[in-house]
Amino acid sequence: MRNVPTLLRRELGAYFASILGYIVLMFFLIVMGVTFAVVVEYLNRGPTQLTAMKIMFQMFWLPSLVVIPMITMRLFAEEKRAGTVEMLMTAPVTEAEVVTAKWLGAFVLYTLMWGLTGFYVLILQKFSGGAALDLGPILAGYVGVLLIGQFLIAIGLLTSSLTKNQVAAALMSFAATFLLLIVVNWLGFIFQGGVAGEIVRSISAFEHMEDFSRGLVDVRPLVLYISGTALVLFVTMRIVESRKWR
Amino acid sequence: MDSMIKVEGLTKRYAGVTALHDVSFTVKRGEIVGFLGPNGAGKSTTMRILTGFIPASAGRVEVAGMDVFEDSLAVRRHIGYMPENNPLYEDMRVIEYLRFRARLKDVRRAERKERIDDCMEMTGITDVRRRVIGQLSKGYRQRVGLADALLSDPDLLILDEPTIGLDPVQIRQVRQLIKDLGKRHTILISTHILPEVEMTCNRVLIIHRGKILASDAPENLMKTLSAGAPVVVEVRAPVDAATVVVQALPGVVSVTAEAGSDGFVRLVAHASGEADVREAIYRAVVAERWDLRELSRGRTSLEDVFVQVTRDEDEAEEDRRDQRQRLR
């Protein structure tokens, strides 16, 4: 894994050497900024049980659906299209290093994006009229957003390794994200109670975010997403290797 | 240990296609070997297997005494590779790209800067170091790829079509560079341009349809084939007399003559085997006191060798196919 820092630096550089990184960042900030403005306006209308950041965290799926396919689509697809994968894989690096660095690069960018929403926390603090914000749920919310994000990034990386076509990679990862977030959430309305309902609840990202944004960090989603990522990255590694046995 | 590359019984099958068929060859340390073949002959496939990018379906491949599949990482450290079409990260600056590659290739931190400077100097890209690769001309990009291949000062350079897409001046520069590099490195280059091999390589491997058809020094290949080449003579003499005299010389098998309008006769003499009949013809012409205007033997170029060797193979292939059909 000693080549990971070198590869990671290249991956991060690639986002900002092209216009892509800026577009994604701009898109994210516009969506989140508008959401924040709406949330603040809504909370100003009268007393409610909700807090601003809780609503923000529950909107996590909106940028995820678009932003994650955008930052993962090129990772392998572009290397395959341009042929640079041959340069990369004939250098003394392993598949595991390359997959890890690419996943980490997208995750760092994603973390950076969400990190910028920290300004909203500062703004809320400034205008909270002296009352201290409850930081626990906010931190837990960030844990949730990053946890779910890193898993969806792994899936985006997997779809990117399947094709040379960035658009196809983005569509596949969009479809997968849509299924995992939105469709599972809908299933929650159909299966209420019983074993099926229990299963749907335990894999529903919306349910997880509900918990996290209340300040509840449960071990089960941690295990679910981290082991999910490990599995998806492993499969990705085998796909990158598959040029060797196909 | 003096063999740099050792390939034995190498076979590569893609879905439904056999790209390489039981290929064996060795490349000795310090050799510059040209891999010659038409497009689709299996040159790039062989190189990709040597560099560990794809595995073989069967056979053994060793580089610097190590198995390319078992010790893939170690083998890759010994190789500087420039793939076909020279893919590069187009969004990076030249210097950034070379720094990135040097780190990946474990060039020691203390030596890195100097090494990168040396490689840029050698390939003549120092003045474009700050430019973005995607904006460089094809010639410069090719040289960036070459600089990259040289970074780790590898024992073996594998260059897939290094001069493709360059203008004649650049081609000459790159060939000179390859020749210079050959003093310190073992080099395997592939090409379908014949003069390139004639100019730069100690040895030629002719590959066609996934098989090695010939392996020898370019001069030897040409000598073998030019042995039967006809001798052309132009003398001022009567047609019949000239034909009879030349025909009578030992070693001459057949003569055709053609009278010119200016009193000269153009004779084309075919000799048997490796015999060189030029001296005998000269002496005969002097003895007859004829005026001599030309005496030459057609020199076979590598191009002819190549065409001949691949045509023989194609014909053999057709014969086999016919035979199979007849059997059915």
Side-chain angles (χ1 to χ4, degrees), chain A residues 79 86-87 89 243-244, chain B residues 48 53 55 76 81 89 148:
Chain A
E79 299 248 20
E86 192 167 351
M87 296 297 293
M89 298 319 303
R243 66 170 197 278
K244 296 191 174 173
Chain B
R48 285 177 161 178
F53 185 64
R76 283 184 250 167
Y81 176 41
Y89 288 134
D148 170 28

Side-chain angles (χ1 to χ4, degrees), chain A residues 2-11 13-15 17-18 74 79 82-95 97 102 241 243-246, chain B residues 12-14 44 48 51-55 69 72-73 76-77 79 81-84 86-92 97 99-101 103-106 145 148 160:
Chain A
R2 67 208 182 86
N3 283 314
V4 171
T6 304
L7 292 165
L8 176 60
R9 203 195 297 190
R10 146 74 197 151
E11 289 302 326
Y15 281 121
S18 70
R74 50 162 278 281
E79 299 248 20
T84 47
V85 66
E86 192 167 351
M87 296 297 293
L88 189 59
M89 298 319 303
T90 52
V93 296
T94 62
E95 275 85 4
E97 285 172 332
K102 284 184 179 293
E241 269 176 359
R243 66 170 197 278
K244 296 191 174 173
W245 34 262
R246 259 191 310 201
Chain B
K12 176 69 189 177
R13 280 181 291 269
Y14 292 111
S44 295
R48 285 177 161 178
T51 53
F53 185 64
I54 52 172
F69 199 64
S72 181
L73 282 179
R76 283 184 250 167
R77 275 178 232 283
I79 296 179
Y81 176 41
M82 184 167 124
E84 201 177 3
N86 187 29
L88 302 165
Y89 288 134
E90 311 222 327
D91 53 328
M92 288 178 113
Y97 180 71
R99 274 192 205 127
F100 165 70
R101 297 291 295 178
R103 271 190 224 111
L104 275 194
K105 293 178 172 184
D106 301 322
D148 170 28
D160 201 348

Side-chain angles (χ1 to χ4, degrees), chain A residues 7-25:
Chain A
L7 292 165
L8 176 60
R9 203 195 297 190
R10 146 74 197 151
E11 289 302 326
L12 288 174
Y15 281 121
F16 293 103
S18 70
I19 199 168
L20 181 76
Y22 301 99
I23 290 178
V24 174
L25 216 57

Side-chain angles (χ1 to χ4, degrees), chain B residues 178-191:
Chain B
I178 291 171
K179 258 185 162 166
D180 293 344
L181 291 169
K183 290 168 193 152
R184 299 197 37 211
H185 305 264
T186 309
I187 303 181
L188 180 65
I189 68 169
S190 80
T191 180

